[in-house]
Amino acid sequence: MKTPNKVRKRKLEPSSTPKDVPYCESPSKVSKSDQTGVFIPGNHEAEMCYGGEADLHKHVTACTKNPGHKGFIPLKDFNTNCLPSRYHDDDLMYETIKTLAALTVQVKTKFTSLQRPEFYPGTQVPYPCYKDRGSHVMRLGTGRVWIAYKCTESDRKTCRCAKCQVSATPSKVWGQVHMMTATHVVFDDSEARQTRCVLGFDDNKSPMVSLDGWEVGWVDIEGDRCLLRYVTCDLELVDELDKMCEHFYELSRDVRDKYTRFVDVDKLTVIVSHPHGCPKQVSVGRWTHKHERGSIIRYWYTTCTCPGSSGACVYRLGHDRWFYHHPHSGSNSEGNYSGEYWD
């Protein structure tokens, strides 16, 4: 990937080693009320930078959500020994999680929409960033590339990337990259147009690519899911992401087929995210219970998260549909929880 703008070096301290990673072996029992009761939102986990990006180091060291950050594994240190013993020496599971990591992106938003509601739908719980409406406070989250494809002149459009918008000859062959995140990270088109997606931020020395936002494809406020559309003339990047998405879906199907009988035993749940705007971190845990609203479900899990993890894909063992993406949403008295999606 191409080299992007310079990124301030940050790291979670102390760094975790595989033997330090907690994995809950005994899930709590799930009652009927846990599954069907009323969901009350807790704290969102977008990282707010009121003093700009220079604040991030302070946020890492002063973090009260996960002091010490022992549940996070830097991507370069991740291996199958970080997983439960059943998956040790399993190249399939390792490649699946590494491919998920390759599709994981940092999301930087520099505007807060005037259209944000005061409360979550049907509640008196304050909606994130309502008081920041109209401001240019930086907000950081995580997302996952969902799909990438080429567009041609036959689509009767030309490229809308920043370069082509000021060009007398905008490209007639271009690409779209769709990315999933949480709605409280990016709410609508006014925020999407001032949102940057950073791919390849694996560590402070890795080459990265930045894409500027174009628009939202759709948003689900109650389910806390958002689809963002990015445009680019970098057709090589589009091809690479397209192949990577297909590879991830194939790997997920293979994992499901191999471990079907253990899906509801291990309840393995993995998240790759950018906590506190830092390079990619892997966290491993298990889902504990769920909340059902009609045909869609929200999950709770022991997998570690921090501010900046909002929007990250919550990967659960055994689920392989190509459109599958429960975004990490926040935490409340029951633990860390996802946004909603069909199961």
Side-chain angles (χ1 to χ4, degrees):
M1 293 183 178
K2 297 179 180 178
T3 303
N5 298 329
K6 291 183 179 180
V7 177
R8 179 182 173 87
K9 293 185 177 181
R10 296 179 299 278
K11 62 180 180 178
L12 297 183
E13 297 180 343
S15 296
S16 300
T17 58
K19 64 182 180 180
D20 294 328
V21 180
Y23 178 77
C24 178
E25 294 290 354
S26 302
S28 56
K29 293 182 179 180
V30 181
S31 67
K32 185 175 181 180
S33 60
D34 285 331
Q35 296 186 39
T36 60
V38 176
F39 168 68
I40 303 298
N43 296 319
H44 73 85
E45 291 198 339
E47 181 73 277
M48 305 301 298
C49 302
Y50 291 96
E53 199 164 350
D55 271 358
L56 289 174
H57 180 71
K58 179 175 65 177
H59 293 173
V60 171
T61 56
C63 177
T64 58
K65 166 71 191 297
N66 195 356
H69 299 103
K70 291 185 178 180
F72 290 110
I73 312 162
L75 182 60
K76 64 181 177 60
D77 295 334
F78 175 76
N79 58 62
T80 54
N81 291 328
C82 304
L83 300 170
S85 57
R86 192 188 317 282
Y87 309 96
H88 290 182
D89 303 316
D90 186 338
D91 291 339
L92 173 60
M93 182 62 74
Y94 175 78
E95 187 175 0
T96 301
I97 295 172
K98 290 289 281 190
T99 304
L100 171 62
L103 293 169
T104 297
V105 302
Q106 184 186 57
V107 182
K108 293 184 177 183
T109 305
K110 294 185 178 181
F111 182 69
T112 302
S113 173
L114 294 169
Q115 303 305 315
R116 286 200 173 222
E118 186 173 3
F119 303 106
Y120 280 97
T123 76
Q124 291 299 303
V125 178
Y127 192 75
C129 307
Y130 173 78
K131 294 182 179 179
D132 296 320
R133 291 176 303 157
S135 75
H136 291 270
V137 174
M138 178 179 286
R139 186 168 55 256
L140 297 178
T142 305
R144 190 201 84 183
V145 175
W146 194 54
I147 193 172
Y149 60 91
K150 291 180 183 177
C151 303
T152 65
E153 190 174 6
S154 62
D155 296 311
R156 298 182 181 180
K157 294 178 181 178
T158 56
C159 184
R160 302 184 186 184
C161 73
K163 181 178 69 175
C164 285
Q165 285 187 32
V166 297
S167 172
T169 56
S171 178
K172 295 181 180 180
V173 181
W174 49 291
Q176 284 197 38
V177 179
H178 293 188
M179 191 271 294
M180 296 283 285
T181 188
T183 301
H184 73 263
V185 176
V186 183
F187 185 79
D188 60 13
D189 284 347
S190 68
E191 294 186 3
R193 286 190 289 269
Q194 298 193 52
T195 296
R196 174 164 289 180
C197 162
V198 182
L199 300 91
F201 188 17
D202 298 349
D203 57 49
N204 284 312
K205 296 181 180 179
S206 57
M208 292 167 276
V209 174
S210 295
L211 298 176
D212 291 323
W214 173 28
E215 64 182 6
V216 295
W218 48 260
V219 295
D220 175 0
I221 300 175
E222 190 168 5
D224 202 20
R225 298 173 297 144
C226 172
L227 174 70
L228 289 173
R229 292 175 178 157
Y230 292 81
V231 292
T232 178
C233 291
D234 188 343
L235 300 182
E236 184 177 338
L237 173 65
V238 174
D239 282 339
E240 180 183 350
L241 292 175
D242 180 33
K243 292 175 182 176
M244 200 178 300
C245 287
E246 182 62 32
H247 188 48
F248 177 62
Y249 306 143
E250 291 173 352
L251 289 168
S252 298
R253 288 193 293 269
D254 291 343
V255 167
R256 177 207 60 188
D257 293 343
K258 183 174 182 179
Y259 290 109
T260 295
R261 65 188 185 279
F262 300 118
V263 168
D264 292 325
V265 176
D266 294 338
K267 298 184 178 181
L268 180 65
T269 305
V270 178
I271 296 176
V272 183
S273 69
H274 289 279
H276 303 294
C278 292
K280 291 174 189 173
Q281 308 284 317
V282 182
S283 50
V284 180
R286 63 188 301 155
W287 67 269
T288 57
H289 61 284
K290 58 188 175 181
H291 176 269
E292 301 178 6
R293 183 169 66 91
S295 60
I296 55 179
I297 294 178
R298 182 188 309 272
Y299 285 89
W300 277 259
Y301 33 85
T302 64
T303 317
C304 291
T305 62
C306 266
S309 296
S310 278
C313 177
V314 180
Y315 175 74
R316 290 180 300 109
L317 176 70
H319 295 264
D320 67 322
R321 292 182 173 88
W322 70 271
F323 53 80
Y324 167 79
H325 184 101
H326 278 82
H328 174 63
S329 186
S331 63
N332 59 15
S333 60
E334 299 176 65
N336 295 328
Y337 61 83
S338 72
E340 294 177 329
Y341 215 99
W342 296 279
D343 203 34

